[in-house]
């Protein structure tokens, strides 16, 4: 109509996006609107379906007036949710109103009012749509009257005013009362049907069935009347129940909390209901109590909705490993007194215990923003009224941030503030989940106990005596699905309720000790940051730090790795050392070739700790090259010819070798430009330059070579940043291979299938060479088939990743092939039990070892022999430390975490690398 919209204030995202596209300035609050009006005067304000209350000092700034749209016939049906209240009153005629805004809510003079007829089948959704259509028509009329100056306003007859506040709720909060007329039940069902798209702030129509309030999706009034008592179940079908009421019979369809239709027959079975049974009839007093309870909680619904939208499930670390499908086994511990708190009052003890428990949770989970289940204080006036207990949530989310850098008193204040908030907002109606589209699809919220960990405060009289029991005293139902920490305010004692199918009683005892230790630390020094409070009793600390790390073992710590190989050469020079396709190389011949090349490298200037790059395909020449670099005192830098040229050049630039050993594949992968400034030793030369060199072992002493010099520099994958060159010394490599020789013996042979740039190759290649066995090199580019062909013949050791193991297992199984492997060493990523089970069928006699180790810890620092009766847990453990290695699990502040808790893995001992090349 030619008017200009000066600005829009809206809390609705879709409307705000439209306004932005239409180049209409948007303001986000009433305060912003006031500032805008001071700078840009306007003629009129129109408030349309507006959740904001516009105060007089704002609408008083406009030049000609402010008008509001109301979805009801003022002065009747003032307030909120007017359409629903009209349907509940079974009105047939209705209206919408445009009125002037004054100091009151919906009290200003009426300027436009248009009639809206209510049809018998109308719901709140359809009536709202009718009202919006009428509102648009009324707005045109309002604008026309304003433009022509012909607008007629008349005051409301406030004597006939009816007002519906936001917190008001319908009779029995929407629970159907079967002894009422069928038309009343129909009106209730339609009045509370606001559609699936937006928040329903009033409530849902519900039927009380057993211990549940089940949503009623649709109710149809039938023409007949059975004459049976109200609430009688006349018929049960998969789609609906037929129920007797105070007048005609009705057909009732049900819905789940996620908005889907419920199978009515299954619901009846679940509730032990049959045809001829009877649904509960609410008395007037019960209905009033239900209504009052919901109206009391109504102002807090936005608080709970926002909190539930931020649902967080805390992962508890101490779970048993094989309990995926185990049924719950509820147990309660005895009551405990925290002896460290003996001098405090019971109230202070309660606060200390709750605070300490939350600090402990933050410490063991590594999470500082906690959301737990909380048992709200029961409303004494409603105590014992089952219908109210069914309809109101018995567990609510407690949300608190634990500042681990703060002292105990600061954390205690934060916890006390959250407890005060929980007390203020009490609880929420259970049907809030189904009423809110943002919550409806969250599966966890459909449970009465969405949170695995809970806290409950009780005033019941407590007894410290007693052992673990399988029952709970009245009033102490657990609010955590897994674990509930219960504190008694009467004497400051505490106990645990837990699911013994997932948490062992021994773990409960350990947690009790941890909590007691933490509290002793608080009373001894309350001013220290809570991250530094000790939570481990002395015995557990010793077990974690010392007992689990008793790994000392003798190994030739002063010997270089090639010296261990040379010792095998002396023992059996004619024995086969390397097999590649049809080529067999003996220990003596391999050693002689390596020595000739080593002397050549020494002549080229190779010195201890000097990086020497090698980029060759898998072949005997590769083995010769590696041994030669080690014998010359250099540290080999493996480059895989299959890697992209850009990555290879990046590694060359970082390592900075002056010398490169390569073959045709290596040359092609690197490119002429990358190797232009390097001295290149070409394995494909027709007459090797080192052919006439000595076949004798170079003297490490003459070279100044010791076990503390570098054996190799191998690059990390770069998955967490730029690849880093890990510098590994001979002594670390010697320790690992000495352990492997003892742990994996006897190993007659080993399959070498992985890239030279992958440190697992250290095990598969060098373990047999220092043990008198032989290495079986698979063909380059055909590793899967190479391994498959090898495992079909007697084979000592195979190193493989879980992914490759799974592929191999499926191929062997489908082809009906057998596997004859002594030891499968699996590493590189998490190993699932399904892969293990597959291989148990193919090769039941094979020893399967899960080996773990980052590049910085020489192939493996931990190993786990997988038992034959492995349970169906998700992942196989990484196990215990290897010889001369120490493993620690520490929290983010360097403190050891309890046994079984979440922490970062720290590795110490002989196998730890010297550091990263060219880095601090």
């Amino acid at each position: 109509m030619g008017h200009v919209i000066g600005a829009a204030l809206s809390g609705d995202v879709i409307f705000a996006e439209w306004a932005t596209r239409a180049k209409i300035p948007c303001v986000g609050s009433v305060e912003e609107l006031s500032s805008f009006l001071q700078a840009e005067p306007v003629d009129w304000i129109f408030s349309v379906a507006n959740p904001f209350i516009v105060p007089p000092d704002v609408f008083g700034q406009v030049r000609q007036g402010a008008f509001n749209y109301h979805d009801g016939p003022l002065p009747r049906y003032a307030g909120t949710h007017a359409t629903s209240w009209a349907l509940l009153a079974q009105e047939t005629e209705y209206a919408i109103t445009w009125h002037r805004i004054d100091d009151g809510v919906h009290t200003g003079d009426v300027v436009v009012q248009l009639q809206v007829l209510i049809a018998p089948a109308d719901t709140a959704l359809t009536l709202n749509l009718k009202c919006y259509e009428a509102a648009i028509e009324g707005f045109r009329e309002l604008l026309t009257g304003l433009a022509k100056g012909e607008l007629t306003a008349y005051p409301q007859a406030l004597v006939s005013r009816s007002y519906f506040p936001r917190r008001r709720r319908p009779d029995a909060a929407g629970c159907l009362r079967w002894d009422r007329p069928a038309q009343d039940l129909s009106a209730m069902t339609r009045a509370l049907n606001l559609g699936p798209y937006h928040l329903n702030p009033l409530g849902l129509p519900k039927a009380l069935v057993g211990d549940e309030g089940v949503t009623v999706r649709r109710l149809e009034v039938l023409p007949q009347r059975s004459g049976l008592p109200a609430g009688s179940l006349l018929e049960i079908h998969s789609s609906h129940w037929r129920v007797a009421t105070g007048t005609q019979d009705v057909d009732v369809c049900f819905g789940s909390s996620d908005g889907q239709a419920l199978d009515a027959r299954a619901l009846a079975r679940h509730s032990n209901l049959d045809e001829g049974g009877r649904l509960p009839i609410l008395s007037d007093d019960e209905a009033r109590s239900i209504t009052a309870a919901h109206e009391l909680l109504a102002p807090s619904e936005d608080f709970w909705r926002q909190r539930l939208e931020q649902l967080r499930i805390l992962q508890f670390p101490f779970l048993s490993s094989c309990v995926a499908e185990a049924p719950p086994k509820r147990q309660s511990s005895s009551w405990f007194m925290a002896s460290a708190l003996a001098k405090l009052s019971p109230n202070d003890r309660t606060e200390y215990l709750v605070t300490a428990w939350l600090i402990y949770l933050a410490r063991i989970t590594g999470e500082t923003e906690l959301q737990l289940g909380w048992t709200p204080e029961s409303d004494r006036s409603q105590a014992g009224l089952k219908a109210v207990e069914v309809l109101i949530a018995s567990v609510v989310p407690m949300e608190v941030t634990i500042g681990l850098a703060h002292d105990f008193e600061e954390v205690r204040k934060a916890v006390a503030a959250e407890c005060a908030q929980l007390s203020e907002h009490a609880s929420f109606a259970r049907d809030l989940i189904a009423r809110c589209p943002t919550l409806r699809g969250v599966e966890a919220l459909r449970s009465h106990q969405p949170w695995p960990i809970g806290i409950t405060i009780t005033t019941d009289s407590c007894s410290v005596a007693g052992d673990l029991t399988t029952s709970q005293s009245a009033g102490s139902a657990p609010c955590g699905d897994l674990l509930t920490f219960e504190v008694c305010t009467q004497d400051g004692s505490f106990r645990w309720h837990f699911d013994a199918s997932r948490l062992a009683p021994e773990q409960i005892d350990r947690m009790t000790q941890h909590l007691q230790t933490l509290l002793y630390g608080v009373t001894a020094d309350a001013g220290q940051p809570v991250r530094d409070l000790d939570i481990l009793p002395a015995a557990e600390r010793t077990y974690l730090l010392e007992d689990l790390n008793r790994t000392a073992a003798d190994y030739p710590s002063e010997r270089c790795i090639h010296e261990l190989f040379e010792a095998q050469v002396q023992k059996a020079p004619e024995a086969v050392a390397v097999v590649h396709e049809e080529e067999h190389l003996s220990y003596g011949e391999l050693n002689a070739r390596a020595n000739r090349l080593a002397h050549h490298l020494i002549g080229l200037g190779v010195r201890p700790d000097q990086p020497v790059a090698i980029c060759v395909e898998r072949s005997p020449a590769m083995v010769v090259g590696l041994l030669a670099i080690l014998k010359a005192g250099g540290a080999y830098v493996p480059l895989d010819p299959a890697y992209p040229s850009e990555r290879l050049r990046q590694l060359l630039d970082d390592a900075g070798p002056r010398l490169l050993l390569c073959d045709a594949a290596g040359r092609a992968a690197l490119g002429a430009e990358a190797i232009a400034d390097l001295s290149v030793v070409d394995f494909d030369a027709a007459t090797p330059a080192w052919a006439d060199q000595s076949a004798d072992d170079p003297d490490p002493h003459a070279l100044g070579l010791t076990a503390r010099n570098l054996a190799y520099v191998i690059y990390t994958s770069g998955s967490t940043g730029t690849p880093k060159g890990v510098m590994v010394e001979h002594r670390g490599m010697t320790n690992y291979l000495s352990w492997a020789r003892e742990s994996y013996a006897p190993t007659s042979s080993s399959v070498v299938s992985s890239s030279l740039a992958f440190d697992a190759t250290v095990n598969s290649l060098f373990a047999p060479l220092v043990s008198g066995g032989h290495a079986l090199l698979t063909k380059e580019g055909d590793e899967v088939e190479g391994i498959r062909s090898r495992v079909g013949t007697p084979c000592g050791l195979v190193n493989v990743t879980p992914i490759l193991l799974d592929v191999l297992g499926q191929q062997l199984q489908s082809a009906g092939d057998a596997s004859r492997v002594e030891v499968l060493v699996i590493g590189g990523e998490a190993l699932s039990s399904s892969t293990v089970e597959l291989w148990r069928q193919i090769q039941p006699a094979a020893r399967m070892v899960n080996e773990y180790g980052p590049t910085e810890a020489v192939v493996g620092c931990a190993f786990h022999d997988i038992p034959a009766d492995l349970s169906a847990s998700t992942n196989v453990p990484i196990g215990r430390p290897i010889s001369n290695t120490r493993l620690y699990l520490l929290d983010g502040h360097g403190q050891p975490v309890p046994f079984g808790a979440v922490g970062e893995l720290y590795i110490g001992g002989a196998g730890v690398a010297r550091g990263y090349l060219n880095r601090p």
Side-chain angles (χ1 to χ4, degrees), residues 656-734:
R658 295 196 296 272
L659 196 62
L660 167 70
L661 279 59
C662 69
D663 56 11
R667 276 183 178 276
L670 289 163
E673 185 181 345
I675 62 177
D677 296 330
L678 297 175
S679 295
V680 177
V681 175
D682 192 346
F683 282 173
D684 292 328
T687 305
W690 55 93
D692 57 354
Q693 291 281 354
S694 169
D696 295 336
D697 297 331
D699 181 4
H701 299 293
L703 297 173
L705 178 62
T706 73
R708 292 182 176 271
N709 289 116
L710 295 181
Y712 62 79
V713 177
I714 197 165
Y715 278 81
T716 60
S717 65
S719 59
T720 58
T722 305
K724 298 184 289 290
V726 178
M727 299 187 291
V728 172
E729 297 175 347
H730 279 269
R731 57 179 179 164
M733 198 173 172
T734 300

Side-chain angles (χ1 to χ4, degrees), residues 187-269:
M188 179 71 77
T189 306
R190 290 181 292 108
L192 298 181
N193 179 359
L194 279 77
Y197 308 109
H198 298 285
L199 173 69
N200 174 340
L202 265 183
L204 291 173
K206 296 173 285 290
L208 287 173
V209 182
D211 291 334
E212 298 287 336
V214 185
T215 301
V216 173
R217 281 170 64 95
R218 189 171 59 82
L219 183 144
E220 181 182 351
V221 179
L222 303 174
Q224 72 268 21
R225 179 174 184 171
S226 65
L228 289 173
S232 296
L233 267 175
L234 308 175
E235 298 175 17
I236 296 176
H237 303 274
S238 60
S239 61
H240 66 278
W241 294 351
R242 184 159 291 178
V243 184
T245 73
T247 55
Q248 300 107 298
D249 302 334
V250 293
D251 283 349
V252 187
C253 303
F254 301 99
S256 59
S257 59
D258 63 352
Q260 302 301 309
L262 270 184
D263 184 325
R265 189 172 280 128
L267 174 63
R269 283 197 302 271

